[in-house]
Amino acid sequence: GENVEQHPSTLSVQEGDSAVIKCTYSDSASNYFPWYKQELGKGPQLIIDIRSNVGEKKDQRIAVTLNKTAKHFSLHITETQPEDSAVYFCAASKNNAGKSTFGDGTTLTVKP
Amino acid sequence: EAQVTQNPRYLITVTGKKLTVTCSQNMNHEYMSWYRQDPGLGLRQIYYSMNVEVTDKGDVPEGYKVSRKEKRNFPLILESPSPNQTSLYFCASSPSGGKNSPLHFGNGTRLTVT
């Protein structure tokens, strides 16, 4: 089955700096790669996603890049703010499979 | 408000006492799924359902049961809970799991089995 590895497990940055979280996946048939943000006491919430026919996607301060050949995708957060502090999960899935495989999560701390 | 509702939020029980965690969504989503979250292990899929009366095992189904008798509800049943099922559980739904759409998560159920 699919295996998703996520790095780093913890990340601390100064407010205003950029943060990058990386994930690799094993199943070349995977074609959907969402990123979720989990705040304390809440369920994960989608922040951005990318499909395999696209190499990059941006939404304001957040961007995701996908390298299908290397089977890795990354989350980029620019101009970080304290409210970006949370746990971030990447995931991978493929059409009609019903299964989503998640990375182990990255705890991001943005210091004011 | 569009949401996934889990109940209860917190549950403490003893080994062997059957329990059910309920999950309901009001978005008319076809796909629903259960996950458990443990420190350092991320989110692991327990069971999922592509539609009413259609369920399938995820990566860690042992010790759990589910049913999907109606579209909005997807209860998780632990017939004989054990301490290794102590975890944080999340229910999620999406318009169509087959077409890879984003998951909408509930706020979680923290289960402790003593």
Side-chain angles (χ1 to χ4, degrees):
Chain A
E2 175 68 278
N3 182 47
V4 175
E5 294 191 0
Q6 182 173 344
H7 298 281
S9 56
T10 60
L11 180 59
S12 181
V13 300
Q14 285 296 134
E15 182 177 359
D17 287 350
S18 295
V20 180
I21 303 170
K22 299 181 180 181
C23 288
T24 60
Y25 61 98
S26 61
D27 188 344
S28 57
S30 289
N31 58 3
Y32 178 62
F33 308 95
W35 285 90
Y36 295 90
K37 175 184 181 182
Q38 185 180 23
E39 295 176 337
L40 203 60
K42 295 186 177 181
Q45 195 166 15
L46 179 82
I47 54 171
I48 196 167
D49 58 6
I50 192 167
R51 289 177 169 80
S52 59
N53 58 347
V54 175
E56 183 175 359
K57 184 177 178 181
K58 283 185 181 179
D59 182 3
Q60 299 182 336
R61 297 186 296 109
I62 295 173
V64 56
T65 58
L66 171 64
N67 183 327
K68 284 190 295 182
T69 304
K71 288 190 279 189
H72 68 69
F73 56 111
S74 299
L75 176 71
H76 304 254
I77 306 174
T78 59
E79 299 171 25
T80 53
Q81 301 165 3
E83 51 265 39
D84 294 328
S85 296
V87 179
Y88 292 81
F89 291 99
C90 63
S93 62
K94 54 189 176 186
N95 277 344
N96 301 315
K99 285 188 173 186
S100 295
T101 302
F102 285 78
D104 289 345
T106 297
T107 301
L108 173 65
T109 303
V110 180
K111 298 177 183 176
Chain B
E1 181 190 351
Q3 59 186 359
V4 177
T5 303
Q6 294 179 229
N7 280 298
R9 287 295 308 273
Y10 301 92
L11 180 57
I12 301 173
T13 191
V14 296
T15 299
K17 185 176 181 181
K18 181 179 178 179
L19 66 92
T20 299
V21 183
T22 64
C23 175
S24 179
Q25 50 93 4
N26 62 0
M27 296 168 280
N28 201 37
H29 284 171
E30 289 185 354
Y31 178 90
M32 298 185 76
S33 184
W34 277 101
Y35 298 85
R36 60 178 288 174
Q37 183 177 11
D38 302 289
L41 295 178
L43 290 154
R44 293 182 292 166
Q45 193 169 30
I46 304 171
Y47 269 95
Y48 63 94
S49 169
M50 299 287 271
N51 214 324
V52 176
E53 301 291 2
V54 180
T55 62
D56 210 341
K57 295 177 181 178
D59 295 318
V60 289
E62 295 79 17
Y64 304 94
K65 282 177 56 177
V66 292
S67 68
R68 187 93 182 274
K69 292 185 169 58
E70 47 191 345
K71 202 169 190 178
R72 62 182 293 127
N73 295 324
F74 190 44
L76 179 70
I77 303 156
L78 285 72
E79 298 245 337
S80 184
S82 63
N84 64 12
Q85 293 178 299
T86 292
S87 188
L88 180 58
Y89 291 87
F90 287 100
C91 179
S93 71
S94 76
S96 170
K99 292 183 181 177
N100 285 324
S101 44
L103 291 167
H104 299 251
F105 285 86
N107 280 329
T109 296
R110 186 167 291 283
L111 172 65
T112 303
V113 184
T114 61

